[in-house]
């Protein structure tokens, strides 16, 4: 019963706030939804300790769902260690975001709708992580997509918010097209979409070919790549990443929920959950590694020059997701989930801390108009500092550090131990760690240090956020400090096997979690040195010599503009896809529908009938002599016809 309560309490809260919000009013809706998600979070921690230590996989039936021919699907909750970890992440962060939103959204008149959307988002993600089959997974997958559309476009009177919501929805549909094909392929190959049945049959399919797009391919490779296409869209990986930064148009709590605990982590969870398939498709794992490493590097380069405080954190999320996929790609699934776990705390902290800054600055988000805020919002500054220390991976190798230090360094060591060609994954992640430190400290220095660049009125009235928001920042700051050290032993340490049980699958030749602890010492120190280098360069640019950024931007203007415009992907996609789509749509509308179909069809026939009848009715004048004249003309025509007919004979 506890597991059903964890999943369905947020759904009940969403229904109450959504259907009865106008009757109950804002405050009861806030209390109800926050209380229900908070209760689910407490129960999630109980489930974590019950299931976590070597717990067997539990299957909790809910209802008979779909029966059609050979397809027989029931809704059941799959409870194992991986599920327990995700339940903790989703519900804990969601509960804190709900609580934070009470203070952040207190001036909004549509709070009932906002909290209903938040709880619906939470329920969809819980349905996803507890799925026991591919259809249930797809239900949660599309549910978070719908909820993200509603939340990103929550302020629907803003054209930018509507455009961002549509962009997120459309880009995710591209990935979900491949994801749906993958699920269809799973059913076609295995005759079932239940996880356990597919996992048991997968070894028998390994190495067998299938026809796809007119060629013979390895079956599991095709299926895994199609499924990973969905993960690329949902987790904003390279080429399908363009929706993520624009998602900042939604309220800041939405950004924290999407980027820290729910939608963007769904792809990482999916690859980990389907590890029994991916382990049998090494080519697919190589693609996962490549895409993850390129994403980590790409997003970090763009984050270097962003000026919107939320966009900097958004590109950081994109980059960190790349780390998680690299871990899964090299077979270190537990390390990837470990980083997902720690990332939830420090990334939610950075987003909500940014929201506190925006709240203090009267909705200003441009860091170029900030500075000197450490004296005005000291508590927010300290918590943002803790989040930055965790994100950049501050710590001492072989001893310990902040949460991000333990998980991110483990992934970098695993990337080296995997020995990708020329160790490209390792080096891309190390360079990304350097850039992460640079742009993270750039955010801190530009926002909180130096002389303020805000207008006098805004700066003088800058104030700390309400207590309900600061409590949430304090809780997340605590998690950002201790989550790595406290749980490292279970995720990637000596208790790894006992903790995970059968929740994650490793092939017979997968010893990556053992070999990552045996890498040379310089590999362990590489991310720390990269972090220190990024901090030093950022301090030089924004504290010691503040004129350097402008000088550097002018000296390397093409590169600066290239990064500022996000590698011109938006412009490229606009030229390749958006404009041709609009041209084709306009052609079909104006020429196809308007000119051809309407012109020859309804409009054409109607116009001819009107034209003809308009002239025929003019013959009906009502004068007798007109009718007599018409009769004489008729008689003359008949006589003439008979005369010519006789001569022809």
């Amino acid at each position: 019963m506890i597991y059903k309560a964890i999943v369905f309490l947020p759904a009940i809260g969403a229904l109450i706030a959504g259907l009865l919000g106008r009757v109950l009013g804002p405050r009861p809706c806030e209390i109800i939804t926050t209380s229900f998600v908070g209760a689910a979070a407490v129960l999630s921690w109980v489930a974590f300790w019950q299931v976590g230590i070597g717990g067997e996989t539990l299957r909790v039936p809910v209802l008979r769902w779909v029966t059609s021919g050979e397809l027989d699907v029931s809704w059941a909750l799959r409870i194992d260690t991986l599920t327990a970890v995700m339940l903790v992440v989703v519900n804990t962060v969601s509960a804190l975001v709900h609580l934070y939103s009470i203070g952040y959204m207190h001036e909004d008149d549509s709070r009932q709708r906002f909290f209903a959307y938040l709880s619906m988002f939470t329920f969809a993600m819980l349905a996803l992580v507890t799925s026991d089959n591919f259809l249930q997974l797809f239900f949660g997958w599309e549910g978070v997509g719908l909820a993200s559309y509603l939340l990103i476009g929550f302020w629907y009177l803003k054209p930018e918010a509507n455009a961002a919501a549509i962009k997120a929805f459309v880009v995710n549909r591209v990935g979900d097209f491949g994801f749906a094909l993958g699920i269809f392929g799973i059913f076609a190959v295995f005759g079932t979409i239940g996880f356990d049945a597919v996992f048991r049959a997968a070894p028998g399919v390994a190495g067998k070919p299938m026809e796809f797009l007119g060629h013979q391919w390895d079956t599991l490779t095709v299926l895994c790549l199609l499924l990973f296409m969905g993960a690329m869209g949902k987790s904003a990986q390279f080429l399908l990443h363009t929706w993520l930064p624009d998602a900042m148009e939604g309220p800041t709590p939405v950004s924290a929920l999407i980027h820290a605990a729910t939608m963007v982590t769904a792809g990482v969870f999916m690859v980990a959950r389907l590890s029994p398939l991916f382990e049998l498709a090494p080519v697919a794992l190589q693609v996962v590694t490549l895409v993850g490493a390129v994403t980590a590097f790409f997003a970090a380069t763009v984050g270097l020059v962003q000026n919107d405080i939320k966009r900097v954190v958004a590109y950081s999320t994109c980059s960190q997701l790349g780390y998680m996929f690299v871990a899964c790609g090299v077979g270190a699934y537990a390390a990837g989930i470990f980083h997902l776990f720690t990332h939830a705390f420090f990334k939610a902290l950075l987003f909500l801390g940014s929201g506190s800054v925006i709240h203090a600055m009267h909705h200003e988000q441009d860091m170029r108009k900030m500075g000197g805020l450490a004296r005005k919002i000291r508590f927010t500054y300290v918590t943002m500092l803790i989040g930055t220390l965790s994100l950049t991976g501050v710590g001492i190798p072989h001893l310990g550090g902040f949460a991000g230090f333990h998980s991110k360094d483990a992934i970098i060591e695993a990337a080296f131990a995997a020995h990708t060609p020329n160790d490209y994954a390792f080096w891309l992640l190390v360079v990304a760690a350097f850039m992460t430190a640079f742009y993270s400290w750039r955010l801190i220095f530009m926002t909180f240090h130096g002389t303020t660049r805000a207008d006098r009125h805004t700066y003088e009235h800058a104030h700390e956020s309400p207590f309900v928001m600061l409590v949430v920042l304090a809780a997340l700051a605590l998690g950002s400090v201790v989550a790595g050290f406290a749980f490292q032993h279970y995720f990637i340490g000596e208790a790894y096997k006992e903790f995970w049980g059968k929740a994650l699958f490793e092939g017979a030749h997968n010893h990556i979690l053992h070999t990552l602890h045996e890498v040379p010492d310089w590999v362990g120190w590489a991310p720390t040195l990269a972090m220190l280098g990024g901090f030093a360069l950022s301090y030089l640019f924004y504290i010691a010599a503040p004129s350097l950024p402008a000088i550097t931007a002018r000296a390397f203007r093409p590169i600066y503009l290239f990064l500022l415009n996000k590698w011109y992907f938006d412009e490229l996609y606009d030229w390749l896809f958006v404009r041709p789509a609009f041209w084709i749509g306009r052609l079909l509308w104006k020429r196809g529908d308007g000119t051809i179909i309407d012109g020859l069809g309804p409009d054409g026939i109607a116009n001819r009938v009107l034209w003809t009848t308009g002239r025929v009715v003019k013959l009906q004048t009502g004068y007798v002599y007109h009718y007599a004249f018409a009769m004489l003309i008729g008689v003359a025509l008949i006589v003439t016809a008979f005369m010519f007919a006789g001569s022809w004979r």
Side-chain angles (χ1 to χ4, degrees):
M1 194 63 187
I2 181 177
Y3 303 113
K4 293 182 180 179
I6 291 172
V7 174
F8 290 104
L9 277 175
I12 296 172
L15 289 173
I16 293 174
L19 299 178
L20 304 177
R22 292 187 177 182
V23 177
L24 296 174
R27 182 61 68 186
C29 289
E30 293 173 349
I31 294 173
I32 290 171
T33 54
T34 303
S35 299
F36 281 16
V37 176
V42 173
L43 294 175
S44 296
W45 281 99
V46 174
F48 177 80
W49 293 113
Q50 285 182 349
V51 176
I53 307 301
E56 293 295 323
T57 300
L58 303 177
R59 191 174 184 275
V60 181
V62 176
L63 54 86
R64 186 79 174 273
W65 196 14
V66 177
T67 302
S68 177
E70 297 180 1
L71 181 64
D72 189 0
V73 181
S74 295
W75 189 323
L77 308 181
R78 183 185 185 89
I79 308 297
D80 57 15
T81 306
L82 179 59
T83 304
V85 170
M86 295 302 298
L87 290 177
V88 165
V89 169
V90 173
N91 278 322
T92 301
V93 174
S94 181
L96 294 173
V97 168
H98 275 72
L99 186 61
Y100 179 94
S101 299
I102 293 176
Y104 190 86
M105 300 292 290
H106 72 280
E107 296 179 350
D108 198 292
D109 295 331
S110 301
R111 299 198 297 282
Q112 306 99 305
R113 180 165 57 91
F114 180 77
F115 279 86
Y117 290 168
L118 281 184
S119 291
M120 182 176 73
F121 202 145
T122 306
F123 165 69
M125 190 65 187
L126 293 173
L128 190 156
V129 301
T130 57
S131 56
D132 189 51
N133 56 71
F134 283 92
L135 184 60
Q136 193 177 334
L137 178 68
F138 190 74
F139 170 81
W141 197 270
E142 296 304 311
V144 293
L146 170 62
S148 69
Y149 171 79
L150 296 173
L151 285 168
I152 294 169
F154 177 75
W155 287 321
Y156 56 83
L157 295 179
K158 290 175 58 179
E160 298 86 358
N162 291 324
I166 292 172
K167 186 175 183 180
F169 198 80
V170 170
V171 173
N172 273 275
R173 297 293 73 73
V174 175
D176 291 351
F177 176 73
F179 188 60
L181 286 180
I183 295 175
F184 296 155
I186 290 287
F187 183 71
V189 171
F190 295 99
T192 180
I193 55 174
F195 286 155
D196 287 333
V198 171
F199 295 161
R200 285 194 299 268
V205 178
K208 293 184 178 179
M210 69 177 292
E211 185 172 336
F212 183 70
L213 299 177
H215 297 278
Q216 295 292 320
W217 309 85
D218 179 72
T219 300
L220 290 182
T221 298
V222 171
L223 296 178
C224 288
L225 287 177
L226 288 172
L227 294 169
F228 179 63
M229 185 176 171
M232 289 176 64
K234 198 66 70 182
S235 296
Q237 292 300 281
F238 188 68
L239 299 180
L240 294 179
H241 65 277
T242 53
W243 69 269
L244 192 64
D246 292 339
M248 299 302 98
E249 292 297 337
T252 298
V254 173
S255 304
L257 193 59
I258 291 177
H259 289 245
T262 53
M263 184 169 172
V264 296
T265 61
V268 180
F269 164 80
M270 186 266 287
V271 174
R273 170 62 78 207
L274 302 183
S275 55
L277 297 181
F278 278 87
E279 281 290 282
L280 299 173
V283 174
L285 285 179
Q286 292 170 15
V287 173
V288 173
T289 304
L290 176 62
V291 171
V294 171
T295 302
F297 175 82
F298 155 75
T301 64
V302 178
L304 296 174
V305 297
Q306 296 301 305
N307 297 310
D308 185 307
I309 187 171
K310 288 170 65 177
R311 283 183 179 268
V312 175
V313 186
Y315 276 106
S316 169
T317 297
C318 194
S319 182
Q320 297 304 306
L321 288 166
Y323 278 85
M324 300 175 204
F325 277 111
V326 168
C328 293
V330 299
Y333 304 100
I337 298 299
F338 186 28
H339 196 48
L340 185 157
F341 180 78
T342 60
H343 177 266
F345 290 100
F346 63 74
K347 190 51 59 68
L349 175 59
L350 288 172
F351 266 116
L352 297 183
S354 299
S356 184
V357 172
I358 295 167
H359 182 273
M361 294 295 291
H362 303 284
H363 305 290
E364 179 59 65
Q365 298 183 197
D366 193 334
M367 297 187 299
R368 294 170 297 184
K369 299 179 182 179
M370 298 181 186
L373 289 177
R375 298 184 296 274
K376 306 287 288 187
I377 47 175
R378 190 168 298 279
F379 190 89
T380 298
Y381 168 63
V382 172
T383 56
M384 287 282 284
L385 193 62
I386 291 172
T388 299
L389 292 171
S390 186
L391 169 62
T392 57
V394 173
I396 301 175
H398 310 301
L399 290 179
F402 288 83
F405 165 79
H406 294 277
S407 55
K408 186 169 74 172
D409 283 28
I411 292 175
I412 294 176
E413 291 167 4
F416 180 86
H419 296 299
T420 55
N422 298 314
D423 288 325
Y424 76 87
F426 168 75
W427 288 113
L428 285 176
L429 295 188
V430 170
V431 174
F434 168 81
M435 293 187 287
T436 299
F438 179 86
Y439 66 67
S440 298
W441 287 106
R442 173 178 177 263
L443 183 152
I444 293 294
F445 294 147
M446 290 184 68
T447 304
F448 295 103
H449 290 267
T451 304
T452 185
R453 297 173 298 281
D455 66 82
R456 182 176 178 179
H457 176 79
T458 301
Y459 183 74
E460 288 181 352
H461 288 81
H463 57 280
E464 193 61 270
S465 298
F467 178 75
V468 69
M469 295 169 63
L470 299 183
V471 168
V472 173
L473 296 182
L476 292 170
L478 178 63
S480 300
V481 173
V482 305
F485 180 80
F487 293 97
Q488 180 184 18
H489 181 65
Y490 298 107
F491 279 86
I492 58 173
E494 296 176 358
Y496 157 73
K497 292 284 187 183
E498 180 184 0
F499 178 73
W500 286 103
K502 297 179 181 179
L504 297 176
F505 178 79
E506 294 178 345
H509 303 290
N510 185 348
H511 305 291
I512 192 71
L513 284 177
H514 175 72
T515 55
L516 73 84
H517 296 292
E518 299 177 350
V519 297
D521 287 341
W522 70 268
V523 173
W525 279 95
T528 300
L529 295 176
M531 175 270 298
L532 292 174
F535 167 78
L537 187 62
S538 186
Y539 183 86
L540 173 65
F541 268 57
Y542 296 97
I543 299 296
S547 61
L548 275 179
I551 295 172
T552 305
R554 286 194 299 269
F556 299 95
R557 186 164 181 77
I559 297 176
Y560 172 74
L561 292 176
F562 180 70
L563 299 181
L564 186 65
N565 288 282
K566 302 158 287 189
W567 290 28
Y568 292 102
F569 270 105
D570 283 324
E571 290 78 6
L572 178 63
Y573 287 173
D574 182 68
W575 181 75
L576 282 177
F577 304 115
V578 178
R579 292 185 185 181
F582 273 107
W583 181 84
I584 293 172
R586 194 172 292 109
L587 178 68
L588 293 175
W589 168 36
K590 292 290 188 181
R591 296 290 181 267
D593 190 36
T595 303
I596 299 175
I597 297 176
D598 287 343
L600 298 179
D603 290 348
I605 295 173
N607 284 334
R608 299 291 75 77
V609 170
L610 289 173
W611 183 88
T612 303
T613 56
R615 282 151 180 79
V616 170
V617 295
K618 291 180 179 179
L619 297 175
Q620 306 297 321
T621 63
Y623 293 111
V624 174
Y625 60 85
H626 284 172
Y627 299 143
F629 178 73
M631 292 173 63
L632 289 174
I633 295 296
V635 171
L637 290 174
I638 292 172
V639 171
T640 303
F642 275 109
M643 289 173 60
F644 281 104
S647 63
W648 287 337
R649 283 200 288 273

